[in-house]
Amino acid sequence: MDQDQSIPVNHDDFIHDIAYNFYGTRLATCGSDRCIKIWDWNRQTGLWILNESISAHDSSVVRLSWAHPEFGQVLASCSLDCTVRIWVEQETNLKNSGTRWRGLTPLTDSKAAVHSIAFAPEYTSLSIATASSDGKVRLYSPTDSVRLENWTVNCFIDFVPGGATDADGPLSVSWCKSRFSSPHMLVVGGSRHKNVKIFQLLNNAFVELAELAQYDSHVLDVDWAPTMGRSYHLIATACADGHIRIYKFWSDPELAGTRLTGSLFVRDGDDDDGDEEARDQPRDDASDDDSISDDSISDDDDDDDSDDSDASVSGGGGGGGGGDDEGDAESEGSDAAATGSVFGGTAGQKRRARATAAAAAAAAATAAGPRSELVSDISVQPSVPIRRIRWNSTGTLLVSSSDDGVVRMWRMTPSGTWREMAAVSAESA
């Protein structure tokens, strides 16, 4: 849409979250009035039409998440009443009838408020991660993938060993959306615990891959950007100190040293100039073999020396007055042979050195494992807590909302810095 549009959602209290479905044609809102409202976009009029209003929980509804449409119209909600609810649309029932969306059995394993939920990417089976203030992240899957009636805990992350309470603040969770890198990864942020960790689901258990830098302030939200062909991942964190921090993360350590040069990926440390010089110089078939041995170079030197010796003997038979010339010829011949040996060995030695360095770098990267790097620390002015952050579908635009009632959009400049490109105030809207 090219213009602003106001939706009269008619919630009776604060709105905590809004969530679009996969196609952006359906919108769900939730708030402190314990209700969820679902809206459909009318293509003809361009207006949002109320589909259903659901009395969903016994306390404030704080987060929503849509499943991928290949699993049907499935919506999840979490609340301060310590439960998670799964909602499935009944398309045969009338809209606004109170029965259009059927709530399944509540998920009640948490002992504290559930502040964050996220359905897993579509390339996995239908499952949802929930993060609650008791310090645990739980992964649920339905026992029946058709009826979706009963959901059970497959595994969990003990993010706060020993447990936590509501006073310790919320946890937040976000999945890696790429199916081509290491699969089943997610990032978890802890509020009062001031840390962010990356986990991977392996053999039905979560394994910690990396921990991002420790924070001096509460972490209020995290979001994992779509990769869109990048050799690295982008992860954004929102903090109570008014900062948005963006990290690069390499799940494959061998890609951590690549950079884009022209149309080729080149590893840091490669000698591009040496390669260009080698390409510029004429090379015969023998020089094309990278495995030039020192013995072959030595044999060539011996041949050159013998040729110089024959030349000096022939010169000596020409007359007694050629002694000085013979000495000069011998000196020049030996210098040429030495020079040929040095330059003949340099290309091979450089190639061998580069191969050795590349192998050592690969071995070191593999030993080091996945790694992360802080690439941007955005300070929002005025300094107020950043409550929510979200990437766009290509991972090139970041949107944040904060306690000053302003939604800001951030984009990376060609120089690599992130700049605010737009801001929308709730008061002006």
Side-chain angles (χ1 to χ4, degrees), residues 134-162:
D134 62 2
K136 288 182 171 58
V137 177
R138 298 172 175 87
L139 181 66
Y140 290 89
S141 295
T143 55
D144 186 343
S145 59
V146 177
R147 298 187 61 189
L148 307 180
E149 284 289 348
N150 297 314
W151 293 64
T152 58
V153 179
N154 288 344
C155 55
F156 66 91
I157 300 172
D158 195 4
F159 191 78
V160 183

Side-chain angles (χ1 to χ4, degrees), residues 150-219:
N150 297 314
W151 293 64
T152 58
V153 179
N154 288 344
C155 55
F156 66 91
I157 300 172
D158 195 4
F159 191 78
V160 183
T165 64
D166 289 330
D168 294 318
L171 299 184
S172 52
V173 62
S174 178
W175 286 93
C176 171
K177 290 119 181 131
S178 173
R179 71 171 72 209
F180 301 110
S181 62
S182 302
H184 309 294
M185 293 190 299
L186 55 78
V187 57
V188 182
S191 177
R192 179 169 293 185
H193 311 287
K194 304 177 183 178
N195 55 0
V196 177
K197 295 182 180 181
I198 298 172
F199 298 87
Q200 184 176 14
L201 183 61
L202 297 172
N203 299 324
N204 232 14
F206 281 106
V207 178
E208 182 178 335
L209 293 183
E211 181 176 0
L212 305 186
Q214 288 283 345
Y215 290 83
D216 296 328
S217 181
H218 293 191
V219 180

Side-chain angles (χ1 to χ4, degrees), residues 348-367:
Q349 290 171 359
K350 288 179 68 176
R351 284 193 292 271
R352 288 194 296 273
R354 284 202 301 273
T356 303
T366 303

Side-chain angles (χ1 to χ4, degrees), residues 10 54 75 93 103 108 120 125 134 216 243 290 318 329 371 421 428:
N10 297 325
I54 308 169
L75 176 69
N93 295 346
T108 59
S125 60
D134 62 2
D216 296 328
H243 284 248
D290 287 348
R371 72 177 184 90
M421 58 172 296
S428 62

